């Protein structure tokens, strides 16, 4: 029974056997920090993040200036969704070892989860600088730039990832999403088809193909793609959401409601689903139901929750609910003039004829939703990027997600 034997089992994915040997060795050599670090990495791979944090902290008490330890601690804390603590650990790792691509990569993942996209892009760029042949880092760099609406540069990063790994289905799908943002829907569909050819059970590719077909005003074909995505992943909330929105655009309101109710049963806190239900009930003049989802959006305080003020006032007026109407209108006026997040435009026409107010609201809404290089996006449909490549584990212990 030796560390070499345990490590070999670890690399083979025989985690239970490796764990037993690590634990036996720790009893014999309780101050051997490297064994603690290996056991912590194993627990990360097994998604036992609390145990991982405990082991890695014990290792760091014995060898605090070990950058690999801080990198792995960051990965374990990320698994526990303790993102600020994870970021602090990864900051320590790159301070101790500036040329550490894995730590920069994992740091970018945490910053992405925190929606600090500019800093995330910088971290991924550092990972790529120190390891130019790092397709996962190039892909995630592209995703961060896409979130910053830097679409041309985002596209270049996805292409760098694909140059390194031509069969990278996730990067192909992400490239398609960027092309869709650029309103190059036909090119996006080609990317999704390539991704599906490489990975036929890839639900995200079918889902995003449905979004692209919708942008080309081919809703019946979009529905087929969404339905196929659901056969592959019956719990795919965004597919139900966008399928419901597509049925709504076709005035198939019962089918739309069924899809959105399926989505809400899977994720009661999803703001996009509540937003689409709000618009469905508004269009079918079920105003009391619409108000329920307005209230839910307000409680979620998601970016979508900023888009409902106009519809809310419109519904209040349609239902002759005059309570607090003046205060609500004034709150919207102040937000517009303070250059806050824009609301939907059409409902504002029902609450005010003040030219300066409407002009300011229109300018804000247009700047956000229709940048000069883009054409009109499809209303009420969300486009979900492929998840970032998670930096926890690879079979190559020395160069990827968990450092040993």
């Amino acid at each position: 029974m030796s560390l070499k034997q345990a490590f070999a089992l670890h690399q083979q994915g025989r985690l239970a056997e490796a764990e037993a040997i690590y634990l036996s060795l720790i009893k014999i050599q309780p101050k051997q920090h490297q064994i603690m670090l290996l056991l912590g990495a194993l627990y990360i791979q097994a998604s036992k993040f609390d145990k991982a944090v405990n082991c890695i902290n014990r290792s760091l008490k014995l060898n605090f200036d070990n950058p690999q330890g801080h990198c792995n601690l960051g990965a374990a804390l990320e698994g526990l969704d303790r993102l600020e603590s994870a970021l602090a650990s990864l900051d320590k790792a790159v301070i101790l070892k500036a040329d550490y691509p894995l730590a920069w990569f994992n740091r970018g993942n945490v910053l992405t989860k925190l929606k600090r996209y500019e800093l995330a892009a910088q971290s991924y760029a550092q990972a790529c600088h120190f390891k130019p042949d790092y397709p996962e880092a190039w892909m995630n760099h592209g995703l961060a730039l896409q979130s910053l609406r830097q679409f041309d540069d985002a596209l270049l990063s996805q292409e760098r990832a694909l140059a390194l790994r031509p069969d990278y289905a996730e990067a192909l799908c992400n490239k398609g999403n960027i092309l869709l943002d650029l309103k190059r829907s036909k090119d996006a569909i080609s990317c999704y088809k390539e991704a599906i050819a490489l990975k036929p059970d890839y639900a995200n590719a079918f889902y995003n193909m449905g979004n692209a077909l919708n942008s080309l005003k081919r809703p019946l074909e979009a529905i087929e793609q969404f339905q196929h995505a659901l056969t592959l992943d019956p719990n795919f909330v965004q597919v139900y959401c966008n399928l419901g929105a597509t049925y709504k655009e076709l005035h198939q309101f019962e089918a739309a409601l069924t899809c959105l109710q399926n989505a809400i049963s899977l994720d009661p806190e999803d703001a996009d689903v509540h937003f689409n239900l709000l618009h469905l009930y508004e269009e079918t003049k079920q105003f009391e139901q619409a108000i329920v989802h307005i209230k839910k959006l307000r409680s979620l305080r998601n970016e979508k929750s900023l888009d409902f003020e106009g519809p809310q006032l419109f519904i209040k007026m349609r239902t002759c609910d005059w309570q607090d109407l003046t205060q609500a209108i004034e709150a919207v006026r102040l937000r517009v003039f303070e250059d806050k997040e824009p609301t939907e435009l059409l409902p504002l026409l029902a609450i005010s004829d003040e030219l300066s107010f409407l002009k300011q609201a229109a300018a804000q809404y247009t700047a956000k939703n229709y940048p000069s290089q883009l054409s009109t996006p499809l209303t009420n449909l969300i486009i979900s990027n492929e998840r970032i490549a998670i930096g926890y584990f690879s079979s190559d212990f020395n160069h990827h997600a968990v450092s040993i």
Side-chain angles (χ1 to χ4, degrees):
M1 185 173 64
S2 67
L3 181 58
K4 184 177 180 180
Q5 180 186 1
F7 186 71
L9 291 168
H10 193 162
Q11 286 186 304
Q12 293 166 23
R14 296 162 64 179
L15 301 186
E17 296 169 76
E19 178 189 8
I21 298 176
Y22 286 145
L23 289 170
S24 297
L25 291 171
I26 287 169
K27 288 181 181 179
I28 299 168
Q29 304 177 67
K31 294 187 178 182
Q32 175 51 261
H33 69 88
Q34 189 69 10
I35 303 174
M36 296 280 193
L37 190 60
L38 286 163
L39 183 57
L42 182 148
Y43 285 138
I44 292 172
Q45 291 162 235
S47 298
K48 298 177 180 179
F49 299 114
D50 283 317
K51 287 187 173 183
V53 168
N54 180 53
C55 282
I56 298 166
N57 275 329
R58 288 172 66 186
S59 173
L60 287 171
K61 283 182 180 179
L62 297 167
N63 185 18
F64 185 75
D65 290 333
N66 182 358
Q68 289 81 11
H70 290 285
C71 182
N72 285 10
L73 181 60
L77 291 166
E78 182 187 356
L80 293 170
D81 207 32
R82 292 167 56 185
L83 299 181
E84 293 292 352
S85 296
L87 183 60
S89 292
L90 291 161
D91 284 345
K92 181 67 174 176
V94 296
I95 288 170
L96 290 168
K97 182 176 171 60
D99 59 340
Y100 194 177
L102 171 60
W104 285 112
F105 176 75
N106 284 355
R107 185 174 182 271
N109 289 349
V110 171
L111 287 163
T112 296
K113 287 186 176 181
L114 290 167
K115 299 186 178 181
R116 301 175 191 170
Y117 299 117
E118 188 168 353
L119 292 174
Q122 292 171 9
S123 279
Y124 294 132
Q126 287 289 88
C128 294
H129 172 72
F130 292 115
K131 190 175 191 295
D133 59 340
Y134 201 164
E136 296 89 350
W138 283 111
M139 185 183 80
N140 286 8
H141 183 248
L143 289 177
L145 292 174
Q146 183 183 10
S147 296
L148 294 167
R149 303 185 70 82
Q150 298 176 26
F151 299 127
D152 290 334
D153 289 336
L155 190 59
L156 289 173
S157 290
Q158 298 298 344
E159 288 172 347
R160 288 290 296 270
L162 287 164
L164 292 165
R165 189 190 299 175
D167 61 348
Y168 200 171
E170 289 78 8
L172 276 165
C173 195
N174 288 332
K175 180 182 176 182
N177 290 346
I178 297 166
L179 290 167
L180 196 53
D181 278 330
L182 291 167
K183 306 307 166 190
R184 293 168 56 184
S185 299
K186 292 181 179 179
D187 291 334
I189 288 171
S190 295
C191 286
Y192 301 139
K193 287 181 176 178
E194 287 185 60
I196 290 166
L198 291 166
K199 193 175 179 182
D201 60 348
Y202 194 9
N204 264 26
F206 287 101
Y207 162 66
N208 285 323
M209 181 128 54
N211 292 334
L213 289 164
N214 258 327
S215 73
L216 294 171
K217 303 191 184 303
R218 292 156 60 181
L220 297 180
E221 294 173 74
I223 287 170
E224 289 182 6
Q225 299 301 318
F226 290 143
Q227 289 174 337
H228 192 79
L230 288 172
T231 65
L232 296 168
D233 184 357
N235 297 319
F236 201 152
V237 173
Q238 289 86 356
V239 177
Y240 281 116
C241 185
N242 287 12
L243 181 57
T246 306
Y247 280 129
K248 172 184 166 290
E249 295 299 313
L250 294 171
H251 289 190
Q252 296 183 29
F253 298 126
E254 288 187 14
L257 182 59
T258 298
C259 289
L260 293 169
Q261 286 175 336
N262 285 336
I264 214 74
S265 69
L266 290 167
D267 187 356
E269 305 299 305
D270 190 291
D272 290 298
V273 181
H274 287 287
F275 189 73
N276 282 354
L277 279 165
L278 158 61
H279 282 279
L280 175 62
Y281 285 127
E282 183 183 9
E283 185 157 340
T284 55
K285 297 181 172 54
Q286 299 179 63
F287 297 122
E288 289 185 5
Q289 290 293 330
I291 289 170
V292 169
H293 295 285
I294 285 172
K295 290 178 179 177
K296 184 62 178 180
L297 282 164
R298 186 185 296 279
S299 71
L300 291 173
R301 299 191 180 278
N302 183 278
E303 59 265 19
K304 281 286 182 190
S305 69
L306 298 169
D307 291 335
F308 63 72
E309 298 286 2
Q312 180 182 26
L313 291 173
F314 179 68
I315 290 168
K316 283 173 73 72
M317 296 174 75
R318 287 290 299 269
T319 56
C320 299
D321 176 8
W322 311 119
Q323 184 176 2
D324 300 325
L325 181 64
T326 302
Q327 295 94 317
I329 291 173
E330 184 60 23
V332 172
R333 288 185 73 262
L334 286 174
R335 200 180 73 199
V336 168
F337 283 119
E338 290 172 1
D339 204 26
K340 297 289 180 62
E341 187 78 13
T343 187
E344 289 193 14
L345 290 177
L346 289 178
L348 297 184
L349 297 173
I351 67 171
S352 176
D353 59 1
E354 182 183 348
L355 183 60
S356 60
F357 164 69
L358 295 173
K359 184 177 179 181
Q360 176 76 0
Q364 292 172 359
Y365 189 81
T366 301
K368 178 189 176 186
N369 291 282
Y370 311 125
S372 58
Q373 75 272 24
L374 300 179
S375 57
T376 304
L378 185 60
T379 305
N380 291 342
L381 295 187
I382 57 171
I383 298 172
S384 176
N385 293 321
E386 174 61 23
R387 289 184 179 182
I388 58 178
I390 298 300
Y392 292 154
F393 168 68
S394 169
S395 57
D396 180 349
F397 285 93
N398 295 316
H399 294 95
H400 289 282
V402 175
S403 302
I404 300 299

